[in-house]
Amino acid sequence: MWRILNTSNALVRRDFRRKTLRVSARSLATDDGDPPGVLGKRLRDSAETVVIGGGCVGVSLAYHLAKAGQKDVVLLEKSELTAGSTWHAAGLTTYYHPGINLKKIHYYSIKLFEQLEAETGQAVGFHQPGSIRLASTPVRVNELKYQMTRTHWHPTPQFLIGPEKIQQLFPLLNMDKVLAGLYNPGDGHIDPYSLTMALAAGARMYGAQIYYPAPVTGLTPTADGRWDVQTPHGTIRANRIVNATGFWARELGQMIGFQHPTIPVHHQYVVTATVPEVKALEAELPVIRDLEGSYYLRQERDGLLFGPYEKEEKMKLQDSWIRDGVPPGFGKELFESDLDRIMDHVERAMEMVPVLKNADIINIVSGPITYTPDLLPMIGPHQGARNYWTAIGFGYGIIHSGGVGKFLSDWIVSGEPPYDLIECDPNRYAHWTSVPHLCAKARESYGFNNVVGYPKEERFAGRPTNRVSGVYELLKDRCSMGFHAGWEQPHYFHKPGDDSGYKPSFRRTNWFGLVGRECKLVMEGVGVIDLSPFGKFNVKGEDSHRLLDRLFANTLPKVGQTNISHMLTPRGRVYAEVTVTQTAPGEFLLITGSGSELHDLRWIEHEAADGGYHVSVSNVTDELGVLGVAGPKSRMVLQKLTDEDMSDTAFRFLHCRSMQLAGVPLRAIRSRTETHTHTHTHNIHLISSVFFSCVSDELRHKSFRTVSEVLLSRSHWCLQPAEFIGKQALLEIKAQGLSRRLAFLTLDTDDIDPEGNETVWHNGEVVGNTTSGSYSYTAQQSLAFSYLPLHLTHAGQKVEVELLGQKYPATVTQEPLVLTEPTRTRLQKKQRSE
């Protein structure tokens, strides 16, 4: 067992990597070396951007903004740079991330770290021995294969390696249980203090001003969308502010009425003294992540550093800070360590790396890191306050710092994000994110750090929230619920005797046959689906037409009609796909996906405010319930429930009419659904969101494309008089021509289906990636959409789609597998006429 030589927090703070010795040798106050607590120069009166928070993320943003040429960039830090979570971080860096978009953040960070010392003259202590994620069960091997499938089309260096190669790279490992590993050369660790100081040096070099100690004491919005930022040293008028305050983020947000769902978590890691076997090595050991043991381990000088993630019942939240705030003066302090809490992981690590058994502990570091309910950070402009941005909630701030600084800088400077990162949008949370929900989800997320990452994953802590539709109580015992933006929505329905419950898998699992049953019943009869989680906005006012003409690329529908349109960015990229209905002259109902509700609302409100439009924009998502009625007998069912003529000639496709079931209040949905599902004459069935996704893939061929294809194929959109956002960019894209096109693929698979982001191969080369995928119960085969080079998009073209390490044959198909109602109607009329 380990000997503990000294684990006092005083020792940790004084001696840990000698970071704080370097701090004490510098001024704690300003850029220019003035005494602590005194600003050595006058605070600026105004700024283009004020970044609040001097951790690695905030300093990175200041660096990138200044480097991009933005003038008047100011960073305010309440005590000293790196205070909070940065200074005590373990400093791990990795190309790996299970999410497709965050891989780009990690990739940029590492490339920045590699050249930062040469650029700024400041050493950063960057080590790149690589890293290995260890798989010791067959399911874990499948997980690694799943991740490899999603990586081949990325520039990220990543390899699936066997035990022999793992032993070669990490000779101190006990290989008895190791089956495979995911190897990322170029991974490693960096000194967080040195990294932050190098970024600060770069920020100053490019013209940014950094002030500390300069705590923000107040934030006041101005009528023109700017901010007065109050400090003890004066007030700065800022065009925008960025909250990058780490575990102080909630307190800063409260100044302007927000309750940001962030909470500090106690994270511990152990540092050993010199280990003779480590010292004797010729090369530095790669970082290992034992997925089953739920810990990371790396070399620290001639010893080892080991950090576990406890299960939710053992981990510790600092939830008192939610109630009482962060203690005044806390910044470079640590929590008391608790070795007993992590002993299960210690024992697992000793089994995997036997030299740990005789290692002496010199430090146990227990410090606060910030968690959100889903572990992902909150990055971007916040809905509900003009020009207020967040860069908060980082559980892995070191590896995120470079990429997030670049991402936000590009967005701020150009007016649009450089790529999609909606999973980190701060507006994914709303009023339903209560403190109990936050605490339950943070516990779950911390404990889930190294659980198997299955497709269509569900996590059940903190559910349900207060956001349930009127049919929740009616349906909850008949189905397996999924979680969508705080809502509970049926994923699939089951009957007595069915194999029900949450049983995740990388292959087809227990819901596969049940969803197939739903499909058959609905395609032959009629079904009802709860679509209440869709985001819903009312827009009205004298300038409603002008605003929506500016926002949407499509022409606006006439009164009583509906269409699908896109909000574009200035560079012609899709920001959102929205269903637009003109319910009355000058009054519009906009419907968007549940996951982009406030994301899209913020974009609309931003344009309305900046353009000075006289409109009213209201979010009615929680007030309006939605029931979708689908199937060949749907009109007959609706006809029984209304005096309106529901025939296809009287109530045409993409038309809207106010009647009994259109936009009923949520409180009324339950009784009406009970009535409908008991209308046995037409054999009405309940249908789920998984069914909806499968059928959408069957139907949306030629009805869903990227903006570059849909909008350019409908040239009247570009020629309409309205100067919508992105129009000029579309015209330029049209003039240049396309190099890739979205292709519709049918796949020959066995017990596995695509879901999106899989690698597409042709003649042994990577040629693209899938964007979505599912199983077609109508065609009895797998489907996928994929971006491919133009010469590979003609009908009949053969390619391969990689699933769990195996390449499956796929064929480009030109026609949809299921016809929409207008198409079916036209064909029926044609057949009758013939």
Side-chain angles (χ1 to χ4, degrees):
M1 187 55 67
W2 285 349
R3 289 189 303 161
I4 302 177
L5 300 185
N6 191 326
T7 60
S8 70
N9 285 346
L11 172 68
V12 173
R13 186 172 183 197
R14 182 179 67 251
D15 210 32
F16 175 59
R17 287 176 164 183
R18 300 180 182 173
K19 291 178 189 172
T20 53
L21 291 179
R22 286 200 298 267
V23 176
S24 62
R26 294 176 54 87
S27 162
L28 299 182
T30 70
D31 286 344
D32 302 320
D34 297 280
V38 178
L39 291 181
K41 54 188 176 184
R42 183 173 179 272
L43 198 70
R44 298 186 67 95
D45 295 325
S46 63
E48 180 71 21
T49 300
V50 169
V51 180
I52 307 171
C56 59
V57 173
V59 177
S60 173
L61 176 55
Y63 159 83
H64 281 94
L65 283 171
K67 187 175 182 179
Q70 186 174 106
K71 306 300 182 183
D72 301 331
V73 177
V74 170
L75 184 143
L76 301 177
E77 162 54 41
K78 69 180 300 180
S79 57
E80 56 183 293
L81 299 185
T82 76
S85 295
T86 297
W87 76 275
H88 63 74
L92 299 181
T93 60
T94 178
Y95 284 113
Y96 175 86
H97 195 280
I100 294 301
N101 297 319
L102 278 164
K103 289 183 191 293
K104 300 175 184 177
I105 294 289
H106 288 209
Y107 184 85
Y108 177 87
S109 290
I110 288 179
K111 294 306 177 186
L112 172 67
F113 299 165
E114 288 176 344
Q115 58 85 35
L116 194 58
E117 181 174 343
E119 179 183 357
T120 66
Q122 298 283 321
V124 296
F126 193 23
H127 297 245
Q128 293 184 275
S131 77
I132 308 170
R133 303 177 70 82
L134 300 175
S136 54
T137 68
V139 171
R140 288 292 189 182
V141 175
N142 274 343
E143 182 183 19
L144 302 190
K145 291 179 179 178
Y146 175 76
Q147 287 300 330
M148 285 303 302
T149 293
R150 300 155 63 86
T151 301
H152 288 302
W153 55 280
H154 269 266
T156 299
Q158 185 167 290
F159 305 93
L160 184 63
I161 60 176
E164 184 176 345
K165 180 65 174 178
I166 294 171
Q167 181 81 86
Q168 177 186 340
L169 292 168
F170 202 112
L172 304 182
L173 211 59
N174 174 7
M175 300 300 296
D176 290 349
K177 296 182 179 179
V178 177
L179 301 178
L182 202 64
Y183 175 50
N184 289 100
D187 283 9
H189 54 96
I190 195 167
D191 176 24
Y193 175 87
S194 298
L195 167 64
T196 306
M197 292 305 164
L199 290 168
R204 296 186 188 100
M205 183 172 68
Y206 293 117
Q209 300 293 316
I210 299 176
Y211 298 97
Y212 58 98
V216 172
T217 57
L219 296 169
T220 305
T222 64
D224 60 356
R226 294 189 290 174
W227 291 90
D228 284 339
V229 183
Q230 288 102 37
T231 79
H233 312 288
T235 297
I236 303 176
R237 175 67 60 88
N239 289 355
R240 73 186 55 79
I241 56 176
V242 184
N243 183 345
T245 57
F247 52 70
W248 290 278
R250 191 175 178 92
E251 293 181 35
L252 191 78
Q254 287 170 342
M255 291 183 182
I256 54 176
F258 291 117
Q259 298 290 337
H260 294 313
T262 61
I263 187 169
V265 172
H266 289 228
H267 179 64
Q268 298 186 100
Y269 62 83
V270 175
V271 183
T272 77
T274 295
V275 176
E277 294 88 345
V278 173
K279 186 175 183 178
L281 295 171
E282 295 182 0
E284 183 176 353
L285 292 167
V287 180
I288 63 166
R289 292 173 174 84
D290 181 357
L291 303 179
E292 288 299 300
S294 191
Y295 65 85
Y296 57 82
L297 182 145
R298 68 167 177 83
Q299 186 170 334
E300 171 71 8
R301 300 179 182 171
D302 291 330
L304 295 169
L305 184 152
F306 156 81
Y309 293 97
E310 307 97 290
K311 294 181 179 179
E312 57 186 294
E313 64 269 17
K314 288 191 174 183
M315 62 85 66
K316 187 174 182 180
L317 297 174
Q318 193 63 29
D319 49 3
S320 65
W321 290 7
I322 295 288
R323 181 182 64 254
D324 305 324
V326 181
F330 192 99
K332 284 290 184 74
E333 285 69 36
L334 294 169
F335 300 131
E336 289 297 326
S337 59
D338 183 358
L339 192 58
D340 290 339
R341 204 169 73 232
I342 62 173
M343 280 310 299
D344 291 346
H345 305 276
V346 169
E347 291 169 3
R348 176 64 190 244
M350 287 179 175
E351 179 184 1
M352 187 65 76
V353 186
V355 296
L356 273 175
K357 295 177 181 179
N358 298 316
D360 293 328
I361 298 176
I362 58 172
N363 283 330
I364 303 176
V365 178
S366 179
I369 58 175
T370 308
Y371 265 47
T372 62
D374 62 7
L375 185 55
L376 297 177
M378 300 169 64
I379 304 168
H382 205 290
Q383 188 272 332
R386 293 174 67 187
N387 298 313
Y388 172 64
W389 296 61
T390 63
I392 59 178
F394 291 91
Y396 308 102
I398 304 304
I399 186 56
H400 286 159
S401 61
V404 167
K406 174 66 171 172
F407 178 85
L408 284 177
S409 172
D410 286 353
W411 194 345
I412 289 170
V413 171
S414 71
E416 66 178 274
Y419 49 86
D420 180 38
L421 202 59
I422 194 171
E423 62 266 46
C424 295
D425 190 276
N427 306 298
R428 68 188 186 274
Y429 300 117
H431 61 84
W432 50 267
T433 317
S434 64
V435 171
H437 175 84
L438 165 62
C439 292
K441 298 304 287 187
R443 285 186 176 279
E444 179 185 57
S445 293
Y446 190 84
F448 273 49
N449 256 288
N450 289 306
V451 300
V452 178
Y454 287 107
K456 297 180 174 62
E457 182 182 61
E458 283 293 323
R459 297 185 179 182
F460 298 96
R463 294 171 52 183
T465 71
N466 62 4
R467 209 174 202 194
V468 295
S469 77
V471 296
Y472 171 74
E473 291 294 332
L474 175 68
L475 302 180
K476 66 178 184 179
D477 295 328
R478 308 185 191 186
C479 66
S480 175
M481 288 286 186
F483 189 73
H484 301 272
W487 296 89
E488 298 290 325
Q489 187 178 28
H491 264 191
Y492 68 88
F493 286 92
H494 52 75
K495 297 180 179 180
D498 287 339
D499 182 12
S500 60
Y502 178 60
K503 298 179 180 179
S505 173
F506 292 104
R507 301 183 181 274
R508 293 173 188 166
T509 185
N510 60 321
W511 56 259
F512 180 79
L514 306 186
V515 174
R517 180 175 64 198
E518 290 180 36
C519 184
K520 183 178 188 299
L521 294 172
V522 174
M523 298 301 282
E524 295 174 356
V526 60
V528 178
I529 182 172
D530 181 14
L531 298 174
S532 299
F534 280 157
K536 300 171 283 286
F537 319 127
N538 278 333
V539 179
K540 59 183 178 180
E542 61 180 279
D543 288 338
S544 60
H545 273 275
R546 287 203 310 119
L547 171 63
L548 298 185
D549 268 336
R550 175 65 177 159
L551 284 169
F552 291 110
N554 201 353
T555 52
L556 295 178
K558 298 177 181 179
V559 175
Q561 295 187 20
T562 297
N563 69 19
I564 305 295
S565 193
H566 297 86
M567 292 192 292
L568 308 182
T569 69
R571 283 186 278 185
R573 299 175 178 178
V574 174
Y575 190 83
E577 183 182 70
V578 180
T579 301
V580 182
T581 302
Q582 189 168 183
T583 55
E587 296 187 14
F588 295 86
L589 175 65
L590 312 182
I591 300 178
T592 188
S594 60
S596 56
E597 174 193 342
L598 299 184
H599 169 273
D600 296 353
L601 180 61
R602 187 208 64 82
W603 186 265
I604 295 167
E605 291 175 337
H606 172 80
E607 182 61 28
D610 282 9
Y613 295 94
H614 297 286
V615 295
S616 167
V617 181
S618 54
N619 186 357
V620 295
T621 300
D622 291 345
E623 286 72 46
L624 288 181
V626 178
L627 292 179
V629 184
K633 297 181 180 179
S634 57
R635 289 180 183 272
M636 289 185 282
V637 168
L638 292 174
Q639 190 65 74
K640 295 284 186 180
L641 302 171
T642 181
D643 293 332
E644 300 279 347
D645 185 353
M646 298 302 299
S647 66
D648 60 319
T649 54
F651 189 38
R652 299 173 59 193
F653 185 62
L654 291 180
H655 280 58
C656 176
R657 188 180 301 170
S658 179
M659 62 181 68
Q660 184 178 4
L661 295 180
V664 297
L666 282 174
R667 62 182 177 273
I669 285 186
R670 174 171 179 168
S671 61
R672 299 185 185 206
T673 304
E674 289 174 334
T675 300
H676 302 165
T677 54
H678 285 85
T679 308
H680 296 298
T681 305
H682 294 294
N683 197 23
I684 302 175
H685 304 281
L686 298 170
I687 52 180
S688 64
S689 58
V690 174
F691 159 83
F692 188 70
S693 298
C694 294
V695 174
S696 296
D697 277 341
E698 295 176 334
L699 289 171
R700 66 180 174 175
H701 180 52
K702 289 189 175 177
S703 67
F704 179 82
R705 283 283 194 269
T706 63
V707 63
S708 300
E709 294 179 69
V710 173
L711 304 189
L712 298 183
S713 66
R714 302 176 186 179
S715 59
H716 66 278
W717 289 14
C718 291
L719 298 176
Q720 64 171 307
E723 191 64 28
F724 58 84
I725 298 171
K727 181 176 181 178
Q728 294 305 312
L730 282 185
L731 292 173
E732 293 176 10
I733 294 171
K734 184 175 183 179
Q736 295 170 1
L738 300 173
S739 60
R740 304 178 76 82
R741 181 173 291 134
L742 193 65
F744 183 52
L745 306 178
T746 56
L747 285 72
D748 298 325
T749 62
D750 37 50
D751 64 341
I752 186 172
D753 301 297
E755 60 166 346
N757 297 315
E758 293 91 2
T759 302
V760 181
W761 299 80
H762 181 251
N763 289 339
E765 299 289 334
V766 175
V767 293
N769 63 280
T770 61
T771 60
S772 64
S774 63
Y775 181 79
S776 167
Y777 293 94
T778 304
Q780 296 287 294
Q781 64 182 142
S782 297
L783 312 177
F785 287 86
S786 174
Y787 280 115
L788 297 175
L790 293 180
H791 70 279
L792 296 178
T793 58
H794 58 270
Q797 174 66 52
K798 303 294 184 181
V799 293
E800 294 175 308
V801 176
E802 182 182 349
L803 303 170
L804 282 189
Q806 181 176 341
K807 297 174 184 176
Y808 291 88
T811 305
V812 175
T813 304
Q814 290 294 343
E815 294 301 326
L817 300 181
V818 177
L819 302 178
T820 60
E821 183 188 48
T823 305
R824 293 196 305 269
T825 302
R826 286 196 302 270
L827 290 177
Q828 290 168 359
K829 288 180 178 179
K830 182 179 179 180
Q831 290 171 356
R832 286 196 296 266
S833 65
E834 292 175 349

